[in-house]
Amino acid sequence: MPNIHNVPVAKLSLSKDNVRRSNRDVDIDALAASIAAEGLLQNLVVEPLKKAGTFTVKAGGRRLRALQKLIEQGVLPADHSVNVLILDGGPAASEASLAENFQRLPMNPADECMAFAALVSKGATADAVATRFGVTTRFVEGRLRLADLAKPVFEALAKGEITLGTAQAYAAVHDKDRQERVFTSIGQGHQGNNPDVVRRTMLDGSARANDAICRFVGREAYLAAGGRIERDLFSGAEDETFLDGELLETLAQAKLEEAAEAIKIEHGLAFVRPVAATNVPWNLEEALHRFYPGNAPIAPELMKQFDTLAEESAQLQGDIEHEELTEAEVDLKTNRIEAIERELDVLNDRAREIAPEVRATLGTFVYIGRDGQPRVHDGLFSETRPARAGDRSGGSTVTGAEAAPPAISQALVDELATQRRQILAMHIAENPAVALDLAIFLLARGESHRCYELGTTLRAPVATNPIVGFSADDTSAAITLDEKRSSLDRSWQDRHTEGERFDAFRALGDDHKLAWLSYTIAQTIEP
C-alpha cells in the first residue's frame, strides 16, 4: 500500500529503471530555481532499497538532480528532506517512471505568457521573472510581447491552432488592428500557419480605412501627402485600403509628436514619447523607470486627519456589526462611513500630489487609441532611476522611487481595505440585481486573454482538452459554439476603465447578458 514519508535527499538515488535516458539535464537550472522559490510541489515516487532507510527514485529523477544541485550550491542544507511516495514494489513501481513521463504534457506558450504577464503586472521585472524560473530575460520579454497580441491571434495560440513561430510573426508589428485583420484574412487558409507568410503579410505596409492609424491620420491628410487608396466597386468607404504604409507611419509619427509636445507643456513634463501603435510595447516601458508617487513623508497634520477618520470609520463599522440598531440608524452610520471614504480619498490624493519640480523630471507616452484618438499612458516614468529616500549619494532628489513606500502606513491601508470590502460586500448582498450583473460581468471579463486584477475570487476558466492537437472544431457543436461566441455583444469591452465597462455591461439587454452567461459557463465544461 503506497504511503508518504519524509526522507533526506542524501538517502535517495536514481533508479536504473527510469525510462528517461535522453535530455535528463535539460532545464535543470530552471527546475532548481523553481524548487528554490516554491519548494517541491510534487512528491518523488520511490521504492525501498535493501539498505534500511535508503530508497531509489522511480519517478522524479530530474527533481532529484535539481535538489542535489541546490544542496551542492548551498541553497538547501545538506540534511534537507523531502516528501516521497513509497511504493511496495512490483509492477506499480516498475511502471511509475513510464507513466509519469509518458503522460506529461508541455505547458502551452499562451499559459506561459499569461503567467509571466501576471507577475509583471504585480511589479516584477523581466530580470526577476527570468531569475525566478531559471530562463533568460530575452525569453521572458518574448512571452510578454506575445501576451499583448490581438485577442483572436492569442486565442489561436492558446488553442494550438497556430504555432509559437506563427504567433511571433504576428508580434512583428505592434498594431493590434493589423494583427487581427491579417489573422482574419489568412489565418484560416493553408498558409495561415506559415510564419514566413504571416511575417511578410504583417510587414507589407497597407492598412484598412477603419484601422486606428488610418482614422488617426485622416483620409484627407493622407491623400494630401500623396498617399494612394484602393477600393473596389462593391465596398464601402470603411473597406478602403491605404496602400502606402510607410507614408502612413510617417504622418502618424509627425502628428503624435505634435500631440506629445502639447501634452508635455500642458502637464509640465520633461518628455512625452510618441508611439505610432495602438498600445505602448512593454519593452519601451521597461527601458525607463516607473515612478510611484508617495515617497515623500506625509505632513503631520495630514497624518493626524488620516488617523482620526480611520478611527471614526472603525467605530462606526463596529457599531453596525455589534449594536442593536434600527434600519434608519444603520443607514445613517453607513452614509457617514461612505463620506469618510471620500474624505480619505481626497487626503490620499493630497498626500500623493507631485511637486512641480518633480513632475518636470518625469515623462510618459502618447499612443493611438483603438478609436483613432491620441491616448496618454496612465503611468509616469523617469529616464534615470529616482533617488530613494535617505539616499546620500548626491544624485537626484526625485521622490517616489521604484518600490517606494505608500503615502500611508501599510497597517492603515490594510484596515481601510478590510472596511471597504465589508461595505461593498454588504451593498452587493443587499442588491441581488447588481450581484447577478456583477457575476456575469466578472465571468465575461475572464473570457478575454489579458490579465486584469478584478478584485474577486470569482472565475470561469476555460477547460482544456485532454488530447493535444485534437479540438473537433469541424463538428456541428463546435460550429454552433463559435457562432454563439461571434454573436456576443462586445460593445462594453472598448470602454477605458473597469467602472465604465461595468456600467456599459449593465446597460445591455437581459438577452445579451444571459448570452454571455451561458457561453462562459459552457466553456468551463471539462471532457
Side-chain angles (χ1 to χ4, degrees):
M1 191 72 175
N3 52 89
I4 301 293
H5 285 273
N6 195 259
V7 176
V9 175
K11 299 289 186 181
L12 302 174
S13 60
L14 183 62
S15 171
K16 295 180 181 179
D17 295 333
N18 192 288
V19 298
R20 187 186 289 273
R21 303 297 181 186
S22 59
N23 299 326
R24 285 185 168 186
D25 293 322
V26 173
D27 292 335
I28 285 294
D29 289 337
L31 180 57
S34 177
I35 293 174
E38 304 290 346
L40 188 64
L41 302 180
Q42 183 178 0
N43 298 328
L44 305 177
V45 180
V46 304
E47 185 180 17
L49 292 173
K50 291 182 179 179
K51 184 179 179 180
T54 62
F55 302 86
T56 179
V57 177
K58 292 290 186 177
R62 293 181 68 252
R63 275 166 278 155
L64 174 62
R65 284 190 291 280
L67 287 165
Q68 292 170 336
K69 186 164 190 173
L70 291 173
I71 291 174
E72 290 172 5
Q73 295 172 342
V75 178
L76 295 177
D79 60 350
H80 183 72
S81 297
V82 295
N83 287 333
V84 299
L85 174 63
I86 301 176
L87 300 178
D88 293 334
S94 300
E95 296 170 5
S97 176
L98 177 61
E100 182 183 73
N101 287 282
F102 190 75
Q103 299 296 340
R104 179 179 297 149
L105 291 177
M107 190 173 184
N108 188 296
D111 295 332
E112 293 176 346
C113 297
M114 295 286 285
F116 290 163
L119 291 174
V120 169
S121 71
K122 295 177 181 177
T125 64
D127 289 338
V129 174
T131 300
R132 158 71 180 77
F133 288 96
V135 296
T136 65
T137 301
R138 184 181 179 86
F139 179 87
V140 174
E141 290 174 343
R143 290 299 190 263
L144 291 172
R145 177 78 172 266
L146 295 180
D148 207 33
L149 283 168
K151 183 176 179 181
V153 183
F154 190 91
E155 289 179 342
L157 175 64
K159 294 177 180 178
E161 296 172 354
I162 61 173
T163 64
L164 177 61
T166 301
Q168 291 168 337
Y170 279 105
V173 174
H174 290 294
D175 193 321
K176 292 183 181 179
D177 281 339
R178 182 154 185 75
Q179 292 172 2
E180 188 166 346
R181 180 159 56 82
V182 170
F183 180 79
T184 302
S185 174
I186 69 172
Q188 305 303 318
H190 69 283
Q191 295 285 9
N193 205 12
N194 185 318
D196 292 334
V197 172
V198 170
R199 186 173 283 103
R200 283 198 301 271
T201 307
M202 288 296 300
L203 297 174
D204 75 355
S206 63
R208 299 295 286 273
N210 59 356
D211 283 0
I213 190 171
C214 295
R215 286 182 284 169
F216 176 67
V217 170
R219 190 176 190 273
E220 293 183 4
Y222 172 74
L223 291 173
R228 297 170 299 154
I229 289 179
E230 181 182 80
R231 176 175 139 189
D232 63 52
L233 295 175
F234 306 100
S235 301
E238 69 278 2
D239 293 319
E240 291 180 336
T241 300
F242 288 41
L243 298 176
D244 300 301
E246 187 173 344
L247 174 61
L248 196 60
E249 293 278 350
T250 300
L251 294 173
Q253 188 70 21
K255 189 172 181 179
L256 278 173
E257 287 174 357
E258 293 180 7
E261 185 63 24
I263 293 167
K264 184 180 78 169
I265 295 172
E266 179 185 356
H267 295 282
L269 297 171
F271 62 90
V272 177
R273 296 185 179 177
V275 179
T278 52
N279 65 300
V280 178
W282 176 84
N283 61 301
L284 294 185
E285 296 183 21
E286 185 70 4
L288 300 173
H289 301 280
R290 189 70 178 254
F291 175 84
Y292 296 97
N295 197 38
I298 303 174
E301 62 273 15
L302 282 182
M303 197 67 245
K304 184 176 180 180
Q305 292 180 60
F306 270 122
D307 292 339
T308 300
L309 289 171
E311 290 175 5
E312 182 183 356
S313 179
Q315 180 61 50
L316 292 169
Q317 187 67 37
D319 292 344
I320 293 174
E321 293 177 356
H322 304 297
E323 298 292 335
E324 294 289 340
L325 302 175
T326 65
E327 184 174 344
E329 290 173 329
V330 170
D331 289 342
L332 186 64
K333 291 181 182 293
T334 300
N335 291 338
R336 176 53 188 157
I337 291 174
E338 292 174 349
I340 290 174
E341 293 297 316
R342 292 191 290 270
E343 292 180 47
L344 287 170
D345 287 338
V346 172
L347 288 177
N348 201 40
D349 289 341
R350 286 178 56 192
R352 292 177 179 273
E353 287 179 356
I354 303 173
E357 62 273 16
V358 174
R359 181 176 288 275
T361 67
L362 305 173
T364 189
F365 299 92
V366 61
Y367 60 100
I368 304 171
R370 301 300 291 271
D371 58 356
Q373 298 299 315
R375 290 280 177 266
V376 180
H377 194 289
D378 58 3
L380 290 174
F381 301 85
S382 172
E383 293 181 316
T384 58
R385 183 180 294 276
R388 297 182 181 279
D391 184 2
R392 301 175 182 270
S393 63
S396 169
T397 58
V398 174
T399 61
E402 291 175 336
I408 57 180
S409 70
Q410 187 59 47
L412 182 54
V413 169
D414 293 340
E415 290 174 4
L416 293 175
T418 300
Q419 293 178 26
R420 288 180 176 182
R421 182 263 171 200
Q422 292 170 333
I423 295 169
L424 182 58
M426 176 187 69
H427 284 297
I428 292 175
E430 291 178 344
N431 195 326
V434 173
L436 180 58
D437 283 350
L438 180 60
I440 302 174
F441 172 76
L442 293 172
L443 298 181
R445 290 294 280 120
E447 190 262 350
S448 170
H449 77 265
R450 301 176 182 87
C451 296
Y452 292 97
E453 292 297 329
L454 296 178
T456 173
T457 58
L458 185 61
R459 296 288 188 274
V462 177
T464 56
N465 291 326
I467 305 176
V468 176
F470 177 77
S471 57
D473 289 337
D474 57 348
T475 64
S476 59
I479 293 172
T480 300
L481 277 172
D482 190 60
E483 291 173 350
K484 293 290 185 184
R485 182 182 179 282
S486 299
S487 67
L488 294 172
D489 187 337
R490 299 178 180 274
S491 59
W492 54 276
Q493 292 181 331
D494 294 331
R495 305 306 170 93
H496 299 301
T497 68
E498 205 70 74
E500 290 175 354
R501 281 187 283 271
F502 181 50
D503 288 341
F505 185 84
R506 291 208 72 201
L508 297 178
D510 289 343
D511 290 344
H512 290 298
K513 294 178 188 175
L514 292 176
W516 273 105
L517 177 63
S518 59
Y519 177 77
T520 53
I521 295 300
Q523 293 297 93
T524 68
I525 304 301
E526 296 184 337

